[in-house]
Amino acid sequence: MRTTDLLFVSNKTGGKEFAKRLVSKNPLFVCVIGTTETAKIPNISAAGKNPNLTDYTPPADAEILLLGRCKCIRQIPVTPEGIPTPAIITRSAIQSSNVPSLIVDAGSRIKPMVPFVNLDGSYGKDIRSGKACKDALEIFQNAKTLGEQLSKLPGYLVIGESIPGGTTTALAVLLALGIDAIGRVSSSMSTNPHSLKTEVAKTALKAAGIEEGSLVDKPIQAVSKVGDPVLAAIAGLAVGATGNIPVMLAGGTQMGAALSLIHRIEPRVSQNLAIGTTSWLAQDPMSDLVGIIKQISDVPILAANLDFGSSRFQGLRAYEEGVVKEGVGAGGAIISTMIKSNGSITRDIVLKNVERGYAQMVMERK
Amino acid sequence: MRTTDLLFVSNKTGGKEFAKRLVSKNPLFVCVIGTTETAKIPNISAAGKNPNLTDYTPPADAEILLLGRCKCIRQIPVTPEGIPTPAIITRSAIQSSNVPSLIVDAGSRIKPMVPFVNLDGSYGKDIRSGKACKDALEIFQNAKTLGEQLSKLPGYLVIGESIPGGTTTALAVLLALGIDAIGRVSSSMSTNPHSLKTEVAKTALKAAGIEEGSLVDKPIQAVSKVGDPVLAAIAGLAVGATGNIPVMLAGGTQMGAALSLIHRIEPRVSQNLAIGTTSWLAQDPMSDLVGIIKQISDVPILAANLDFGSSRFQGLRAYEEGVVKEGVGAGGAIISTMIKSNGSITRDIVLKNVERGYAQMVMERK
């Protein structure tokens, strides 16, 4: 693998060993979807044209992954400025290397019109209620059962997510577990609304009657009070699967929150884990993934080194300006594609594949 | 593989080639569950202690497969005489060889309390309405999408089913497709109620306004009018997956109905298919699996050659008296276990494993 394609961001030795273990193994891409009412707070999420449309983003992302088009809405999800969902990147990656995907619904308001695994979870409430995800334990346990089954497949898991508002719930969970994450979580906007997120997260902790760090030994309670269903599901999948196979948590700072849960529930599993993300996220000056992860565990961080600056589409060039950055496991999906292809899928080929998908999914449907 | 363990019942050459192709490949066991109100007709199904309890058999079977115990009901499903569900055989098989399983809900009234794939199907109505499964097309399409994804996994699929009343809906579908199946479908009872089944199936065809053979070119319509959601899902899974990987239809005469659908929808896929069942079913004097299959296609029939006659448990010895015979993919699961173990799991070891499961799941919970 060329270093221009894959970056070893943190724990480089561990990252290289992890990547080596994935060579000639078959990835299964698992996309965990869900919603939290937290995303409806004005200006908190750009994962949808407007706050109410964010409900449709997770199911639409799932449909894009499996079908290459949406069914529950007419056009693919975009930010308020019209920049398309990172699902188009993930779809291009898994298509180009024939990676199977499985949609897991942790708890979403709108269900995708494609097959999905039901974990019997409800959608998340606004975390400012202090009662964000009442069935966190059931979701975790069901996801763990699923993870155990998937870990009997030969290969490894790449776990991505789609939940608008997810970095704010991640912040609240990180704070509840005593991780200093203020000003460090990422955002799908180019200007990260840190003060709004911090205010919401602190209000959530107050409403739940907890203090920063007070749930360090009660990780599921942290999700239940101030988290979201997707975090419970990712934690369960990883705890269930890492006993047998490697797991790549594909995402940004939300995966930091997932890792903090996993680490508190089952510390030994960190040995079979890595975080896979995009260079946009890993090098984002407005967030600090490395700073979050380092407080939890020395798991490696790998990043697909992407550059869409030369794209013929403005909607892709915008990724170079700090919009979206990551999501729907885009970075991890590309990393597994690069590894599966033994490096023959370079970042330039990734861009060409994504442009082809963009032309089909965005341009032809305008 | 010793011939005492595995029987090649029909198309022996094809069956041996098929079995050879599975060697050193990893099976994924897929259990498709669903309900049809047809099971509530008195004396038609023994897949539950009484007709109303049959609603709980599919979710309970799913729970047994993943957890080794039921959650939605206290005790495992039994026939009216108290003979336990074949799920305990399937569970023992997949456990002993570490085979992953995935539950697919085609449409069931009661949902399992374990993760399952949702195909957005409703439960089936009494086929005597002539409107048995209104969303057959959607279930088929969703299952096909799932089958396509699963076919990207390395290995092969073993597809079993749990739907009480399923042989009667199978009979009606076979008749609608012009297969002479009267007196040939199997039963979970030792005395097969053929005349009742035939009466129900003929009433269904009449209510649907169709004649025997009149839907030979409209297979999905046959399911929609006189079938059940599980048949739609199995057909979709097989059509979606057989383009890439081998598929074993694990069951008895219901798989005949599934095969007749698959064969009418996509004839070429028969090349990547086999039926895997138990010797109890294949050699059942009260039904005629071979006679059904031969009318459709020359796909091989393999059978796990089982003998529970020496069991220390009466509930297992009863299988030698023609009760239950097959279900929840028991035969196919054992075949894949035998092949995966390179023959080291013999039929004697199968019985020992099943007895261990029986002791845990039946005896300790009494």
Side-chain angles (χ1 to χ4, degrees), chain A residues 259-278:
Chain A
L259 181 68
S260 71
L261 294 166
I262 296 162
H263 188 67
R264 296 311 306 182
I265 295 165
E266 195 70 84
R268 63 157 183 83
V269 308
S270 300
Q271 295 161 15
N272 227 356
L273 272 179
I275 289 182
T277 190
T278 62

Side-chain angles (χ1 to χ4, degrees), chain A residues 100-101 115-118 142 149, chain B residues 100-101 115-118 142 149 152:
Chain A
S101 358
F116 62 87
V117 180
N118 180 318
N142 274 330
Q149 292 300 323
Chain B
S101 357
F116 62 87
V117 179
N118 180 318
N142 275 330
Q149 292 300 323
K152 299 178 185 184

